[in-house]
Amino acid sequence: MNMKNIKNTDRQISEAVKNEINRQKNTLELIASENFVSSAVLETAGTVLTNKYSEGYPFKRYYGGNQFIDICEDLAIKRAKKIFGAEHANVQPHSGSSANMAAYFALTDWLKKGRKILGMRLDHGGHLTHGSPVNFSGKLFEIVSYGVDKKTQMLDYDEIRKIAKKEKPAIILSGASAYPRKIDFKMFREISDETCAYHMADIAHIAGLIVAGQHQNAVPYADVVTTTTHKTLRGPRGAIILSKKEHAEAVDKAIFPGIQGGPLEHIIAAKAVCFKEAMKPEFVEYQKQIVKNARTLAEELMNNGLTLVTDGTDNHLMLVDVTKIKLTGKAAETILDEVGITVNKNMIPYDNRTPKDPSGIRIGTPALTTRGMGESEMKVIGKIISDVLKNPDSNGVKLKARSTVKELCEEFPIYNTV
Ligand code: DSN
């Protein structure tokens, strides 16, 4: 990456970026929601498209000079529709939060009626925007929640149906940020139909798996689907909204002029590049490998005595209950950080600890799979994680772990040119 101009203009920022490049190169990234974009996506995100105002939508803009921007956004829309099999796509949301906000506004006549949303509890694996009281969703909407079953730690569709029948929400929201098992979107559709609710799906974590046929697609079963583009989908940081034709106008209006102004066209062009990459057969292989890697890592952790929520995983992530080895999530995150392994502390279902220092850590395989690592590397990494967590005071164990992390990072480089 050519950093000459940044260095000449702003040494402090160039220094921080250089250090971040080295951090990404020299550590094992196991945060389930992160990934490494391709060089093509990275380049596109850094283009002069950032200079352009293009409020409105392709071929219907409020500014002149958008003939080339229109080509990019139109390609992003067409490709998003194609890879997900959707009737309509809006590629302008700056983030998953704005996509969710716009989707709620599109589906509810929120000032007068129908403000009730049934979503998954944050501490059971849902997302902040699915109704947390500290988030806009919890402040502007009436929220009712479902969780997972105490015994199985999995979604209990009979219970969700029961809550939906009692509460009669305007929207039933499916999708999660920390749920290691498959989600039955078809079942959510059935429950929504039985209770006259809209079904909205937030597929941010599993979008890549869905495109590659490794998870049931939510699009046929939901009125509106939101997803970020930077997780398993491996695109730039941002989001999109997919919907049935009947909601297209409401969705578009909710994004612009509803909650956003000028779209980030350099990012939208990078989304288009990501969607093109997602059409390739290699992308399917990549997603299959993410799942195989997660399964192998989960098995290795369990074989080494760690306890996983639901005893395993069907997707790209797993949750480890570290209280069973007398640690807290915060301590586990810090200890792994010390040896160059990056994860995040996370609440686990029925946690009696707090979000700032919960009982679990969340681990995911998309980023390391992008680096080219496979099942044999997952076994090595599973062993290091277990050893380090079970021996948090052993400098010898940490020293050995750090050296293995270094070897793996050297063998599987990111961006060979940086
Ligand atoms: N913060 C993201 C995650 O880590 O899952 C969700 O937006």
Side-chain angles (χ1 to χ4, degrees):
M1 184 182 276
N2 184 357
M3 301 266 294
K4 198 175 88 221
N5 295 305
I6 312 180
K7 204 164 156 186
N8 287 341
T9 306
D10 190 333
R11 201 160 273 276
Q12 287 161 297
I13 290 294
S14 106
E15 216 25 49
V17 174
K18 198 182 81 197
N19 288 336
E20 173 60 13
I21 292 171
N22 286 332
R23 189 196 68 80
Q24 291 188 17
K25 278 166 80 170
N26 300 325
T27 57
L28 294 180
E29 183 55 74
L30 281 156
I31 291 182
S33 49
E34 293 187 12
N35 213 330
F36 302 112
V37 297
S38 70
S39 298
V41 168
L42 196 58
E43 259 176 44
T44 313
T47 59
V48 295
L49 270 59
T50 193
N51 295 336
K52 194 71 198 95
Y53 249 121
S54 40
E55 284 179 8
Y57 288 102
F59 318 111
K60 291 172 284 184
R61 305 284 186 183
Y62 290 86
Y63 290 79
N66 271 303
Q67 57 273 44
F68 304 112
I69 294 291
D70 280 349
I71 293 172
C72 298
E73 189 168 336
D74 191 47
L75 277 171
I77 292 169
K78 289 197 170 112
R79 290 175 186 167
K81 283 163 66 175
K82 183 156 186 210
I83 60 175
F84 287 100
E87 291 175 9
H88 178 70
N90 184 308
V91 296
Q92 292 192 359
H94 302 328
S95 67
S97 291
S98 39
N100 283 350
M101 182 186 264
Y104 297 156
F105 286 173
L107 288 177
T108 55
D109 185 3
W110 64 288
L111 283 176
K112 300 187 197 102
K113 58 183 165 74
R115 292 173 55 226
K116 198 186 269 190
I117 298 175
L118 171 60
M120 191 174 187
R121 287 171 58 160
L122 178 60
D123 57 347
H124 281 212
H127 187 251
L128 201 62
T129 56
H130 295 183
S132 162
V134 295
N135 179 259
F136 80 87
S137 52
K139 290 180 198 291
L140 297 183
F141 294 89
E142 194 185 333
I143 300 296
V144 278
S145 302
Y146 59 86
V148 294
D149 179 72
K150 197 161 188 177
K151 201 155 157 241
T152 63
Q153 300 178 311
M154 298 202 203
L155 289 170
D156 174 348
Y157 295 94
D158 290 335
E159 182 62 21
I160 298 169
R161 179 181 279 107
K162 219 155 85 190
I163 302 172
K165 283 191 169 159
K166 178 167 171 266
E167 298 289 348
K168 300 192 175 33
I171 300 174
I172 298 180
L173 178 57
S174 60
S177 279
Y179 184 64
R181 295 294 176 178
K182 293 204 161 125
I183 296 173
D184 190 344
F185 295 114
K186 186 166 179 274
M187 185 68 88
F188 271 103
R189 169 85 266 163
E190 282 170 24
I191 298 171
S192 305
D193 285 343
E194 286 166 32
T195 54
C196 299
Y198 287 125
H199 173 207
M200 172 180 155
D202 176 346
I203 60 164
H205 265 263
I206 53 171
L209 303 187
I210 286 178
V211 168
Q214 302 307 303
H215 191 290
Q216 186 192 65
N217 190 358
V219 170
Y221 303 114
D223 296 281
V224 174
V225 174
T226 59
T227 181
T228 49
T229 41
H230 49 269
K231 297 188 174 88
T232 47
L233 198 51
R234 206 168 56 182
R237 191 154 288 276
I240 60 171
I241 305 176
L242 307 159
S243 76
K244 303 270 183 253
K245 254 203 191 100
E246 62 180 292
H247 300 297
E249 197 185 334
V251 164
D252 285 353
K253 278 190 176 154
I255 282 289
F256 176 84
I259 63 162
Q260 287 187 183
L264 309 176
E265 293 294 347
H266 54 309
I267 298 300
I268 289 173
K271 287 174 191 172
V273 175
C274 147
F275 301 152
K276 182 161 188 188
E277 289 174 350
M279 289 171 187
K280 293 186 180 160
E282 298 93 282
F283 190 77
V284 176
E285 292 314 308
Y286 165 59
Q287 298 294 332
K288 282 185 181 164
Q289 193 61 50
I290 289 178
V291 176
K292 278 192 221 161
N293 281 355
R295 198 167 299 149
T296 306
L297 184 56
E299 272 161 19
E300 190 64 26
L301 295 174
M302 290 189 292
N303 289 342
N304 281 285
L306 297 192
T307 303
L308 264 59
V309 169
T310 77
D311 292 323
T313 176
D314 292 332
N315 57 24
H316 63 300
L317 71 79
M318 63 215 73
L319 287 166
V320 186
D321 179 355
V322 291
T323 59
K324 297 278 198 266
I325 47 167
K326 305 209 171 355
L327 285 177
T328 68
K330 190 174 166 196
E333 181 189 295
T334 307
I335 293 161
L336 289 173
D337 219 18
E338 284 169 20
V339 301
I341 294 177
T342 315
V343 302
N344 68 282
K345 56 181 176 287
N346 216 96
M347 298 287 272
I348 59 169
Y350 301 94
D351 209 326
N352 45 28
R353 299 187 57 83
T354 63
K356 286 204 170 124
D357 194 5
S359 298
I361 52 172
R362 187 183 63 164
I363 303 181
T365 54
L368 293 191
T369 309
T370 295
R371 283 181 93 141
M373 293 187 199
E375 287 117 298
S376 52
E377 287 74 33
M378 293 305 121
K379 285 192 181 154
V380 174
I381 293 167
K383 178 82 170 66
I384 322 178
I385 292 177
S386 315
D387 286 349
V388 171
L389 291 182
K390 288 192 298 186
N391 302 281
D393 299 320
S394 165
N395 285 333
V397 169
K398 283 188 189 159
L399 208 64
K400 194 160 162 248
R402 245 179 255 130
S403 129
T404 312
V405 168
K406 187 166 177 281
E407 280 165 27
L408 283 168
C409 290
E410 280 166 7
E411 196 183 339
F412 296 91
I414 56 161
Y415 308 118
N416 283 327
T417 50
V418 295

